[in-house]
Structures are given as structure tokens and as C-alpha cells.
Amino acid sequence: MSTPTRLDRLDRVAVVVGGASGLGAGIAVRLRADGYDVVVADRTPGAGVVEVDVTDEVGVEALFAGVVEQHGRLDAVVNAAGISTFGAVVDHDAAEFRAVVDVCLTGGFLVLKHAGRQLVRLGTPGSLVTLASLNARQPGPGLAAYCAAKAGLVMLAQVTALELGRHGIRVNTVSPGLVVTPLTAPAMDVPGVREDYVDNTPLGRPGTVEEVAAAVAFLCGAESAWMTGENLDLNGGAHLQRYPDLPAHIERMLNP
Ligand SMILES: NC(=O)c1ccc[n+]([C@@H]2O[C@H](COP(=O)([O-])OP(=O)(O)OC[C@H]3O[C@@H](n4cnc5c(N)ncnc54)[C@H](O)[C@@H]3O)[C@@H](O)[C@H]2O)c1
């Protein structure tokens, strides 16, 4: 019998970027339960969190190099980092627009670039999963920066899937509809928004963190071994109807 190598003894290693809160935190819990050794990285500091800002290329490169150096392998990477802003296109502050694109789209690119590089270097047929959104396909008034960045992210992942397929590396996106998290909770305080969302969701409710985590876990693991370049919609059917008109609800709240 051959002597086990260092790699044989180690668990599969996953990195969850944006894993300190909301969906990312739930995904980290799920992947741990699935047996991964999970590294959580985030801009927000916290216990057990490796600090990284996805807009900082030096930091993102160091994150993945550090994980490989420390753990000796890398199997799955989930990018859940994201921010949003609100404003009509004709009124939108350009710096705010850029900030959303920088985190959601350019940050997504930097994660795919440096995680992908490490997987190619290791010769690992790993899985890269990026959180996109229902808003990648369904426009929401007032959400131009977010919608545009998320649509770009889906295409970015597809191009990356094309390029990395020959290495056996899979690249997919998960596009949730509404899940109440710190990102979306403020919109729930606007009277009528939640009801409008639910009215336009055939399954009649928002999703849960666990449901999104299950879809991500599927894309990370062997059961999706023949899937790449896919965008998995997960929204109770909301993509079949229309997105809530947030500006109209805000206007009614301000001028009842
Ligand atoms: N909650 C939803 O309804 C919903 C729906 C569709 C898509 N999404 C997407 O899912 C992902 C997670 O969202 P969430 O609802 O859990 O939000 P959240 O605000 O709870 O979590 C987002 C995390 O990203 C981190 N982050 C933000 N900017 C960062 C940066 N520059 N570098 C590193 N980390 C950064 C935050 O610190 C936070 O921990 C986002 O990409 C979001 O766009 C969420």
C-alpha cells in the first residue's frame, strides 16, 4: 500500500468570499456540513474571517495563494460579495454606480481570475460559483447599477467557463430572487415592497438562505460534474412575472 500523500489526508477546501453575512454565511455553514474545510473571506472583519476587499487585486491574489499555501489544495470557490445602491439612471451619482460595478462585477472578475489561476496551477478540476441575481435577467426600476453589474457577471462567468473547461474547471452562477438578509432588509421596511414581491412570485414567498446554499452546494459538488457555464435561477418563479416597482413604493411612502 502506498504511503498517503499530504493531499490524501486533507478535506476538500472551499473558500467563500463575502461569507461573513447573509447568503455567504449560510453557504459556509452548508459547505462545512458537506465536509469541506471552509475559509471565509470578507471585507467585514469578524472571528474566523480572512479580510479581503474584492476590489483590491493584490488582496484577492494573496487570499487564494495563502489558502493554497496553508491548506495544500483548493476545490470550490464561492463569491457572494455584493452591494447595491438605489437611484434612477438620470439622477444616479456616477461614483455610486461605479462602486457597485467595482464590487459586483470587477470583484467577481478578480475572484475568478485568481481562484482560476490557482486551480490551473494545481491541476484541480475545481468548481467556481458566483452569486448573480434575479436582477441579472429581470430589470428593477432604481436598480440600474446592480442589474447591469449582475447581468455582466453572468456573461463573465460564461466566458470564464469557456476558457477553463479544458482544465476541467467548472464555472457557474446562482441567481436568487428575494431572500431577506442585511442587503435586502432595508427595502422590506418600505410598505408594500414585500407584498409586491410575493404577489409576483408564483410560489408566493421569498426564498431562504438554506435554499440558496443548497443550490450552491450542488454546483460545488460532484453531482453537477457535467454542468458549466450555467446560470441557475432560484426565485420561486419570480422571473416569470415582474420585478416590484421600488421607486413607486418609496414615492407612496414619502407622499402618502
Ligand atoms: N439577498 C438577496 O435577496 C439576494 C438576491 C440575489 C442575489 N444576491 C446576491 O447574493 C450575494 C450575497 O448577498 P446577501 O444578501 O447575503 O448580502 P449581505 O450584505 O448579507 O452579504 C454580502 C457580503 O459581501 C461582503 N462584501 C461587500 N463588499 C465587499 C467587498 N468589496 N469585498 C469583500 N466582501 C464584500 C459584505 O461584507 C457582506 O458580508 C450578493 O452578491 C448579492 O448581490 C442576494
Side-chain angles (χ1 to χ4, degrees):
M1 206 169 69
S2 62
T3 315
T5 64
R6 182 162 176 252
L7 291 186
D8 290 334
R9 282 182 278 118
L10 293 169
D11 289 335
R12 289 172 301 169
V13 172
V15 177
V16 182
V17 182
S21 170
L23 298 179
I27 291 163
V29 168
R30 169 63 194 251
L31 293 181
R32 278 200 187 100
D34 286 357
Y36 291 86
D37 197 348
V38 178
V39 175
V40 169
D42 204 292
R43 185 179 60 177
T44 307
V49 174
V50 179
E51 274 186 59
V52 74
D53 183 332
V54 288
T55 66
D56 168 28
E57 178 156 19
V58 172
V60 174
E61 182 173 20
L63 167 69
F64 292 107
V67 168
V68 171
E69 194 181 306
Q70 200 180 340
H71 295 263
R73 62 186 291 164
L74 179 63
D75 300 275
V77 173
V78 181
N79 178 21
I83 58 171
S84 187
T85 184
F86 184 76
V89 171
V90 293
D91 298 325
H92 216 314
D93 178 67
E96 246 184 62
F97 186 95
R98 281 200 187 97
V100 173
V101 172
D102 208 18
V103 173
C104 290
L105 182 55
T106 311
F109 157 69
L110 292 174
V111 169
L112 291 177
K113 174 178 174 179
H114 290 290
R117 261 193 195 178
Q118 291 295 338
L119 291 176
V120 170
R121 196 172 68 80
L122 292 166
T124 303
S127 173
L128 305 174
V129 181
T130 300
L131 271 290
S133 170
L134 168 61
N135 288 128
R137 64 184 286 171
Q138 192 175 58
L143 296 173
Y146 186 76
C147 292
K150 291 295 187 178
L153 201 50
V154 170
M155 182 53 78
L156 169 74
Q158 291 177 4
V159 172
T160 315
L162 263 182
E163 294 177 358
L164 294 182
R166 69 195 171 91
H167 299 285
I169 298 166
R170 300 184 298 111
V171 187
N172 294 288
T173 47
V174 170
S175 283
L178 175 67
V179 181
V180 181
T181 66
L183 182 75
T184 52
M188 299 302 107
D189 292 339
V190 178
V193 167
R194 193 181 193 282
E195 293 74 8
D196 195 357
Y197 185 85
V198 167
D199 282 350
N200 281 287
T201 301
L203 294 183
R205 64 171 176 87
T208 66
V209 170
E210 290 75 18
E211 286 167 336
V212 175
V216 171
F218 165 69
L219 286 174
C220 286
E223 284 185 334
S224 61
W226 209 38
M227 279 177 74
T228 195
E230 187 56 86
N231 176 45
L232 200 54
D233 276 304
L234 190 71
N235 58 39
H239 65 285
L240 303 171
Q241 296 185 233
R242 67 159 181 80
Y243 203 75
D245 187 343
L246 297 179
H249 288 293
I250 291 171
E251 175 63 26
R252 270 194 292 277
M253 180 175 70
L254 297 178
N255 301 300

